[in-house]
């Protein structure tokens, strides 16, 4: 039996070199600045079995939005130069920075759709410098699910269209497990550096949750407001539909009464009319904004639950130590 091709095996995990992680962090620190400006770049690598290996990357320049800048030409030129120096140059996705996990929007979905439409195994790597600076490395790869790609191809985000393909905010994007890989020499160097200069100022046991929890709650409230506005649009659409149905029924009843009266007088029935022209239904509001808002709320709730669990664990630990000082 012939071995399955690489394209027949879905990507189950992402493996990224430590040097690529440092390059992404460096790009975000230099270009993003203290204001947290959006930075983006290209991921390069290859697919081995069910693993997407990211071995290199390069950033988009700051003037990428200026007139006259050819984005595709820039990427092709960069990959051509990398190929000339015998460096992995295959396009496998892109990366983007974010603040407090706020990244789900139409622009990201459209960009990822274009990537996956041309490169099936491509992913978007989301890096959060704020969470990284306050806790652990926040680097998560995402991709669109097959149902989301189908909906985007059909451009049908109506309630009936979403119900048909069973698409909700839970399966709009899927997160892929990621592993950071370093060479043996780098691991040895890290161990040596840790012995020479051990980390100091570790705030792991700090009882304060910092600003992360408060900021996530604020962002969650904003998303709830956005979702409420989207729901109001759909409620107004339902009201218009009900008014239209009532008006159509009244029109048909009145017309039927007129036809009965004309029939009693021996007159011909009224000519048939196109009801769709007389009662034009309102445009169905797309549900994409609601899906994105719900998905973003799920991310915030997951982060709040994580931060709250850590904080409660530290508080219980501190309470136990204070109640039984002799145990220390």
């Amino acid at each position: 039996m012939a071995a399955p091709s690489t394209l027949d095996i879905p990507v189950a995990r992402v493996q990224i070199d430590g040097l690529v992680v440092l390059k992404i962090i460096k790009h975000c620190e230099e270009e993003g600045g203290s204001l947290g400006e959006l930075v983006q770049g290209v991921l390069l690598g290859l697919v081995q079995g069910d693993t997407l290996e990211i071995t290199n990357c390069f950033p988009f320049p700051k003037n990428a939005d200026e007139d006259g800048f050819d984005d595709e030409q820039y990427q092709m030129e960069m990959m051509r130069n990398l190929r000339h120096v015998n460096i992995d140059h295959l396009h496998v996705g892109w990366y983007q920075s974010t603040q407090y996990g706020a990244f789900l929007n139409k622009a990201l979905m459209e960009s990822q759709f274009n990537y996956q439409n041309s490169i099936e195994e491509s992913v978007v790597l989301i890096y959060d410098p704020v969470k990284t600076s306050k806790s652990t490395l926040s680097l998560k790869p995402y991709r669109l699910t097959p149902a989301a790609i189908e909906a985007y191809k059909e451009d049908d985000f109506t309630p009936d269209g979403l119900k048909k393909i069973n698409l909700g905010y839970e399966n709009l994007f899927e997160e892929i497990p990621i592993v950071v890989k370093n060479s043996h020499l780098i691991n040895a160097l890290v161990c040596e550096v840790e012995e020479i200069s051990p980390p100091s100022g570790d705030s792991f046991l700090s009882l304060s949750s910092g600003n992360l929890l408060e900021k996530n709650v604020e962002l969650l409230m904003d998303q709830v407001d956005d979702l409420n506005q989207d729901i109001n649009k759909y409620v107004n659409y339902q009201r218009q539909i009900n008014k239209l149905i009532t008006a159509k029924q009244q029109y048909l009843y009145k017309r039927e009464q007129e036809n009965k009266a004309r029939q009693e007088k021996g007159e011909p029935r009224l000519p048939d009319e196109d009801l769709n022209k007389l009662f034009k239904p309102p445009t169905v509001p797309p549900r994409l904004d609601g899906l994105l808002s719900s998905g973003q709320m799920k991310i915030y709730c997951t982060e709040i639950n994580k931060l709250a669990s850590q904080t409660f664990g530290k508080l219980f630990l501190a309470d136990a130590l204070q109640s039984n000082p002799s145990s220390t």
Side-chain angles (χ1 to χ4, degrees), residues 221-233 287 289-294 297:
M221 293 171 62
D222 293 339
Q223 287 297 326
V224 170
D225 292 337
D226 294 340
L227 182 61
N228 186 47
Q229 293 179 5
D230 187 74
I231 292 175
N232 288 335
K233 292 180 182 179
R287 307 297 297 154
D289 291 336
L291 286 179
L292 294 174
S293 296
S294 300
M297 288 171 59

Side-chain angles (χ1 to χ4, degrees), residues 22-314:
L22 294 177
K23 292 172 72 172
I24 293 175
I25 294 175
K26 183 175 182 292
H27 180 207
C28 293
E29 291 293 335
E30 293 179 349
E31 301 291 343
S34 59
L35 298 178
E37 297 181 7
L38 182 70
V39 298
Q40 297 176 332
V42 175
L43 299 174
L44 306 174
L46 68 161
V47 179
Q48 293 289 345
D50 64 346
T51 301
L52 176 63
E53 298 182 3
I54 301 175
T55 57
N56 203 356
C57 69
F58 62 85
F60 286 143
K62 255 189 173 181
N63 59 349
D65 296 332
E66 295 181 1
D67 295 336
F69 180 81
D70 193 338
D71 184 19
E72 294 184 1
Q73 182 63 29
Y74 170 77
Q75 295 185 43
M76 294 299 295
E77 189 66 27
M78 284 293 297
M79 289 187 287
R80 188 180 299 113
N81 293 334
L82 292 173
R83 184 173 67 249
H84 288 164
V85 294
N86 199 24
I87 297 178
D88 290 338
H89 60 278
L90 297 179
H91 209 156
V92 295
W94 59 298
Y95 67 86
Q96 175 179 302
S97 66
T98 184
Q99 293 285 314
Y100 299 98
F103 63 90
L104 277 186
N105 51 51
K106 289 183 178 179
L108 181 132
M109 186 174 181
E110 181 177 359
S111 298
Q112 183 58 23
F113 169 77
N114 292 332
Y115 269 93
Q116 286 188 232
N117 196 33
S118 56
I119 309 171
E120 185 177 354
E121 63 272 10
S122 62
V123 299
V124 54
L125 202 60
I126 303 297
Y127 170 68
D128 194 329
V130 176
K131 292 182 181 179
T132 300
S133 63
K134 295 183 178 297
S135 56
T136 57
L137 177 64
S138 178
L139 197 65
K140 298 181 179 180
Y142 292 91
R143 65 183 172 193
L144 290 170
T145 60
I149 294 177
E150 180 181 352
Y152 211 98
K153 285 182 178 179
E154 299 294 334
D155 193 21
D156 185 9
F157 288 96
T158 60
D160 293 337
L162 297 179
K163 184 179 180 181
K164 180 181 178 181
I165 60 176
N166 194 25
L167 178 62
Y169 71 90
E170 306 94 339
N171 58 342
L172 189 62
F173 280 87
E174 60 178 342
E175 182 180 349
I176 311 172
I178 185 171
V179 176
V180 179
K181 180 184 178 182
N182 289 317
S183 66
H184 298 302
L185 290 176
I186 294 180
N187 288 331
L189 177 62
V190 170
C191 294
E192 184 177 349
V193 170
E194 186 176 6
E195 291 180 358
I196 297 174
S197 178
S200 59
D202 188 6
S203 60
F204 177 75
L205 295 178
S206 174
L207 299 181
S208 175
S209 60
N211 297 327
L212 277 179
L213 182 58
E214 179 182 353
K215 187 65 177 178
N216 275 275
V217 173
E218 291 179 0
L219 293 172
L220 177 61
M221 293 171 62
D222 293 339
Q223 287 297 326
V224 170
D225 292 337
D226 294 340
L227 182 61
N228 186 47
Q229 293 179 5
D230 187 74
I231 292 175
N232 288 335
K233 292 180 182 179
Y234 189 72
V235 170
N236 291 332
Y237 163 76
Q238 293 284 5
R239 290 174 179 171
Q240 293 177 10
I241 288 292
N242 292 333
K243 290 181 179 179
L244 186 69
I245 294 175
T246 302
K248 185 185 295 187
Q249 291 175 348
Q250 292 177 352
Y251 176 81
L252 291 175
Y253 177 77
K254 182 179 179 181
R255 185 180 177 84
E256 184 64 24
Q257 295 298 321
E258 291 181 0
N259 283 329
K260 288 182 179 179
R262 293 173 66 90
Q263 187 176 3
E264 292 176 355
K265 296 178 182 179
E267 298 178 356
R269 294 174 60 88
L270 295 173
D272 294 334
E273 296 180 343
D274 189 357
L275 296 180
N276 291 328
K277 291 183 178 180
L278 292 176
F279 303 94
K280 188 175 181 180
T283 304
V284 182
R287 307 297 297 154
L288 179 57
D289 291 336
L291 286 179
L292 294 174
S293 296
S294 300
Q296 189 65 65
M297 288 171 59
K298 178 184 177 183
I299 294 174
Y300 290 145
C301 290
T302 302
E303 188 65 24
I304 291 172
N305 186 34
K306 177 182 175 182
L307 292 171
S309 300
Q310 293 175 355
T311 303
F312 279 123
K314 295 173 185 178

Side-chain angles (χ1 to χ4, degrees), residues 2-19:
S5 63
T6 301
L7 294 178
D8 295 334
I9 304 176
V11 173
R13 68 177 190 139
V14 173
Q15 177 179 293
I16 183 171
D17 288 356
L19 181 59

